[in-house]
Amino acid sequence: MFEVYGVKLSSRFILGTARYPSPDVLADAVRAGGAAAVTVSLRRETVSASPAGDSGGGFWSLIKALNVPVLPNTAGCHSIKEAVTTAHMAREIFGTPWVKLEIIGNQDTLQPDVFALVEAARILTADGFDVFPYTTDDLVVAERLLDAGCEVLMPWCAPIGSARGPSNPDALRSLRGHFPDVPLIVDAGIGRPSHATCVMELGYDAVLLNTAVARANDPVYMARAFSAAVKAGRTAWHAGVLEPRDTAVPSTPVIGMAAFS
């Protein structure tokens, strides 16, 4: 069980809803992975077509039928004004104060504009939103977002869609160490189930991903694999993972060994 903004989620796996080969595959992947929540882009829902070419209303009906919490996002926004406006529209359409706040600052890396992100977070939290900020792994930015009223942080582990996995585990570990009681959700850059296990072993509370499942040869199987990977990493975190050493250490005790001469 995982709790954010007073809502208890059924798992630690949050799944995106874009780029699936069909609505049925999307629905099956969400169910197979036991996703605790799904992210939905307002622009995709209201302007573009669903994966099967249905209207936005048809896609929204599909999402509601999954019966999981919806986390609207501001994907594609490049300014504070765009993000705040999109968040308000999302709150009206989806009926939730949750918003994944995303403001892109660089088109090549899709790196968030952290300055605009902090200011937009301050505006939205003051207006009653529960903000999930998509940010970098920068410790100072994380502090500013918490000061702005965010109760959860969503650092990337690599650029969106890169599938690189954790590029800077030390930075992720530092965030966990500095904010032991803040829910931390890794968002972006995860390409393989082993990447999800890795960040969960660092003590993260959940992972959010989309492309690695949606673009897999079999998204349903891949969702199931990620679900298992997240659970494995969380279990390992609780069990206590050994830190690597520079020197060898015998795994078999040497005291009391028989001596031959």
Side-chain angles (χ1 to χ4, degrees), residues 15-61:
L15 195 55
T17 57
R19 306 184 69 186
Y20 286 82
S22 75
D24 287 341
V25 172
L26 162 62
D28 289 343
V30 171
R31 296 189 183 101
V38 294
T39 60
V40 176
S41 168
L42 176 66
R43 291 170 185 236
R44 178 164 168 263
E45 162 63 19
T46 57
V47 178
S48 302
S50 72
D54 298 327
S55 65
F59 178 73
W60 177 221
S61 296

Side-chain angles (χ1 to χ4, degrees), residues 38-124:
V38 294
T39 60
V40 176
S41 168
L42 176 66
R43 291 170 185 236
R44 178 164 168 263
E45 162 63 19
T46 57
V47 178
S48 302
S50 72
D54 298 327
S55 65
F59 178 73
W60 177 221
S61 296
L62 168 71
I63 295 300
K64 287 193 291 186
L66 294 173
N67 196 31
V68 295
V70 174
L71 175 58
N73 66 60
T74 62
C77 292
H78 291 77
S79 69
I80 297 172
K81 183 178 180 180
E82 279 184 323
V84 170
T85 301
T86 302
H88 278 92
M89 294 173 66
R91 185 163 63 178
E92 288 191 23
I93 292 174
F94 299 111
T96 174
W98 284 12
V99 62
K100 177 191 165 187
L101 182 59
E102 181 178 326
I103 303 178
I104 297 302
N106 182 280
Q107 198 56 40
D108 291 332
T109 64
L110 299 181
Q111 182 169 342
D113 180 338
V114 295
F115 305 101
L117 183 69
V118 171
E119 183 56 27
R122 195 182 312 281
I123 293 170
L124 292 172

Side-chain angles (χ1 to χ4, degrees), residues 133-171:
Y134 163 61
T135 183
T136 63
D137 53 21
D138 188 284
L139 176 62
V140 176
V141 173
E143 291 176 332
R144 298 293 184 273
L145 288 168
L146 296 175
D147 290 343
C150 297
E151 297 182 10
V152 59
L153 298 171
M154 301 183 72
W156 69 357
C157 72
I160 294 174
S162 67
R164 296 177 187 169
S167 299
N168 192 347
D170 289 338

Side-chain angles (χ1 to χ4, degrees), residues 204-227:
Y204 275 66
D205 295 285
V207 299
L208 190 163
L209 58 93
N210 187 151
T211 307
V213 169
R215 307 304 291 173
N217 290 335
D218 190 325
V220 177
Y221 265 77
M222 188 59 80
R224 192 171 292 136
F226 268 105
S227 177

